[in-house]
């Protein structure tokens, strides 16, 4: 699963280089699915190891650092001689986030992530392009200065990845409590939306996740 994550990340870079940004976006989302599953499978099968944690971070640096930055570079940064530096700053944030995660949180039960998780940041950037191709976007949001917005968002997420702003982990669901059942219902709704309206669903949801950590930190301190 970890190497599957890498496969999708490299394929996304190739797709972006060919100008197929929609395919690149969904490949980065698939990399995120593989990244979510590999740790859970390792815990269930009791095959987790320090080697696996290190490999996972190296792979994530490509799939959620390099690949999304490559997509944004081809969409918005090619015209300037130094536009790629914004992509470099984002990748720097991702690799620092991953290295710190290995020191602080890898192998431990997590109540929250310290800093914005790199998969969330990468999938936020990647899924903008499919969202921008929807009729809703073209009719209501296309007039906004999206090149500036996305570059600013990319730099902001680089800072959030290096910060200690707390972000929630994926909640556990079950059948033995009301909370578990509500979480299960939420998962079902998310899956239905993800498969029926993916272009409209992913970018706003990931953007809301990014904003949630900031708002919670501002409100609660």
């Amino acid at each position: 699963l970890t190497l599957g994550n890498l496969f999708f990340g490299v394929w996304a870079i190739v797709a972006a280089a060919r100008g197929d940004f929609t395919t690149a976006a969904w490949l980065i989302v698939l990399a995120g699915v593989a990244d979510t599953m590999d740790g859970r499978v390792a815990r269930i099968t009791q095959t987790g190891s320090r080697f696996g944690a290190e490999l996972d971070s190296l792979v994530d640096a490509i799939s959620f650092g390099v690949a999304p930055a490559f997509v944004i570079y081809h969409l918005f940064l090619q015209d300037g001689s130094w536009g790629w530096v914004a992509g470099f700053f984002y990748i720097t944030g991702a690799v620092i986030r991953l290295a710190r995660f290995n020191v602080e949180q890898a192998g431990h039960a997590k109540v929250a992530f310290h800093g914005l998780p790199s998969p969330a940041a990468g999938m936020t950037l990647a899924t903008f392009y499919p969202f921008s191709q929807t009729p809703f976007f073209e009719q209501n949001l296309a007039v906004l200065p999206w090149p500036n917005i996305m570059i600013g968002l990319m730099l902001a997420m680089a800072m959030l990845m290096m910060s200690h702003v707390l972000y929630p982990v994926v909640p556990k669901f079950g059948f033995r409590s009301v909370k578990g059942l509500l979480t299960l219902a939420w998962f079902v709704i998310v899956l239905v939306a993800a498969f029926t309206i993916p272009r409209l669903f992913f970018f706003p949801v990931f953007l809301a996740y990014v904003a949630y950590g900031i708002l919670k930190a501002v409100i609660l301190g």
Side-chain angles (χ1 to χ4, degrees), residues 44-219:
I44 291 170
T45 58
Q46 297 183 344
T47 55
S49 66
R50 180 66 185 273
F51 172 81
E54 297 292 342
L55 179 65
D56 185 72
S57 288
L58 291 170
V59 168
D60 285 358
I62 295 171
S63 295
F64 310 117
V66 177
F70 202 68
V71 170
I72 297 299
Y73 170 78
H74 279 284
L75 284 173
F76 301 122
L77 298 172
Q78 286 192 91
D79 294 338
S81 299
W82 293 96
W84 61 270
V85 174
F88 165 76
F89 188 74
Y90 170 80
I91 295 169
T92 299
V95 296
I96 289 174
R97 165 76 177 83
L98 291 162
R100 194 184 70 196
F101 176 83
N102 279 2
V103 173
E104 292 183 353
Q105 291 191 285
H108 304 288
K110 291 173 282 295
V111 177
F113 292 112
H114 299 167
L116 178 66
S118 60
M123 288 187 283
T124 302
L125 293 180
T127 54
F128 166 74
Y129 183 79
F131 178 68
S132 71
Q133 304 304 300
T134 61
F136 172 81
F137 180 92
E138 293 173 352
Q139 294 169 11
N140 300 287
L141 301 172
V143 296
L144 297 175
W146 283 104
N148 294 333
I149 291 172
M150 291 307 297
I151 293 168
L153 177 63
M154 182 169 69
L155 297 176
M157 289 196 297
M159 296 297 295
L160 286 169
M161 284 189 286
M162 293 185 287
S163 75
H164 277 84
V165 173
L166 299 180
Y167 278 88
V169 300
V170 177
K172 296 179 180 180
F173 60 85
F175 301 96
R176 298 181 179 181
S177 66
V178 174
K179 183 179 178 181
L181 289 171
L182 290 174
T183 303
L184 178 60
W186 178 80
F187 269 116
V188 171
I189 293 170
V190 166
L191 286 174
V192 170
F195 280 102
T196 56
I197 50 170
R199 294 191 302 166
L200 282 171
F201 173 76
F202 280 101
F203 179 71
V205 166
F206 285 127
L207 200 59
Y209 181 78
V210 174
Y212 174 80
I214 301 171
L215 291 174
K216 186 178 178 181
V218 169
I219 293 170

